[in-house]
Amino acid sequence: SSDVCSSDLLEVHGVRSFAPMALSDVTLGYLRDPASATEDRAAAFLNRATKRGWLLPDGRLNGVVRTVPAEPWLRRIQIETALTCNFSCDYCYSGSAPTRRERLAPNEIIDLLDQAAELAVTEVCFTGGEFLLYPGWRDLVAHARSNGLVVDIHTNGYLLNTDAIAFIADQPVRQVQITLGSHLAEIHDSIRGRGGSWQRVTGNIKAAREAGLTVKVVTQVHRKNLATIRDTARWIYTELGHVVNLDRIVGGDSDFAVSHEEFW
């Protein structure tokens, strides 16, 4: 049947790209049982696989193999764990704030992760509110990784302290996305509704990068930072070592959002 997919995917542990790879029945067999690769061509493949990190030096498979059951294939999910946040951003689409208490129960999220693994989903993104405020967020990340899921975390960066960075690096998590309102502290803090947040967040970004985490910096473009957005992008590149991803506030207060033409 044309709607049936029998692709086997390998998600490799500790490989920077974390890109799942489609494997044939032959190559998968070699990876699972390197001793069966007796031909010169097969041995050359295993040598490349070891260099790429698919196999450990002792020949053990360094990853998780899953089978995609059928098409259409759900590849990625995002879980909005809660609406509780330590910031009160002007533009928040979900209305997250310190006073919000709505959240998914831990067992609900665990069940979603288990279902995702059964469907051969390869990626999950955890977000909030502020994900690092969610009680037991480490357990959720660890459970996702134990199911072979590639994990991304979206955070405002305020709680990304030394312990959090060490845990994320140990899992490992593929990418941490951090929002930064501006290269100017007064603009960032005004947007976030919390004084001193710029100093702490930029320090945590630098610490995460120095610890080897892959960090993605995102800036939302709006009335408060539009006039200085070029300087912000340049500063993030030169001072933090990142190319910033610019996004645009859509809808909401017309005095706050920028037009499509202004954004481009």
Side-chain angles (χ1 to χ4, degrees):
S1 173
S2 60
D3 65 339
V4 174
C5 174
S6 59
S7 297
D8 289 306
L9 297 168
L10 172 65
E11 189 263 302
V12 182
H13 295 264
V15 174
R16 188 174 181 82
S17 68
F18 285 88
M21 291 151 288
L23 304 169
S24 70
D25 291 338
V26 174
T27 56
L28 180 59
Y30 290 156
L31 291 177
R32 283 180 164 160
D33 183 16
S36 66
T38 56
E39 300 177 0
D40 291 342
R41 187 174 179 180
F45 166 77
L46 291 179
N47 183 52
R48 292 196 303 272
T50 302
K51 290 181 178 178
R52 292 172 181 174
W54 304 356
L55 291 174
L56 296 173
D58 62 7
R60 288 180 295 124
L61 186 65
N62 185 33
V64 176
V65 176
R66 285 169 292 153
T67 300
V68 179
E71 294 283 7
W73 171 33
L74 180 64
R75 291 167 170 80
R76 183 177 188 272
I77 63 171
Q78 184 176 76
I79 300 178
E80 188 174 11
T81 55
L83 294 181
T84 307
C85 187
N86 49 335
F87 289 167
S88 300
C89 298
D90 294 329
Y91 58 76
C92 186
Y93 73 91
S94 66
S96 297
T99 56
R100 300 294 294 270
R101 294 292 180 266
E102 300 93 325
R103 68 175 56 163
L104 293 174
N107 63 306
E108 291 180 291
I109 300 175
I110 293 296
D111 184 53
L112 288 173
L113 294 172
D114 290 342
Q115 291 183 51
E118 291 174 3
L119 292 171
V121 170
T122 59
E123 304 175 16
V124 58
C125 170
F126 290 112
T127 184
E130 171 48 44
F131 177 61
L132 301 188
L133 269 178
Y134 188 91
W137 68 265
R138 290 174 173 82
D139 295 334
L140 300 180
V141 171
H143 190 79
R145 292 296 294 138
S146 71
N147 271 329
L149 294 167
V150 176
V151 174
D152 292 340
I153 291 176
H154 288 189
T155 174
N156 58 41
Y158 192 83
L159 300 174
L160 193 64
N161 57 27
T162 302
D163 290 342
I165 290 172
F167 173 82
I168 290 170
D170 184 61
Q171 284 308 299
V173 167
R174 175 176 63 176
Q175 177 177 266
V176 178
Q177 177 176 304
I178 301 174
T179 52
L180 189 68
S182 174
H183 71 297
L184 300 173
E186 59 270 24
I187 293 180
H188 176 89
D189 291 355
S190 172
I191 296 166
R192 297 291 183 256
R194 183 162 189 164
S197 61
W198 181 90
Q199 187 71 34
R200 183 160 167 173
V201 170
T202 54
N204 289 345
I205 291 174
K206 293 177 181 178
R209 187 169 181 266
E210 290 170 358
L213 297 190
T214 299
V215 178
K216 177 182 179 181
V217 179
V218 175
T219 297
Q220 304 286 346
V221 182
H222 44 71
R223 291 291 167 208
K224 285 189 175 182
N225 64 9
L226 180 61
T228 57
I229 199 64
R230 290 179 184 273
D231 292 334
T232 295
R234 187 178 297 109
W235 184 90
I236 290 173
Y237 180 75
T238 57
E239 297 297 323
L240 299 182
H242 294 282
V243 175
V244 66
N245 290 73
L246 300 179
D247 204 349
R248 178 169 69 96
I249 304 302
V250 179
D253 186 351
S254 60
D255 293 332
F256 191 72
V258 299
S259 68
H260 180 75
E261 291 75 18
E262 286 174 308
F263 175 70
W264 286 110

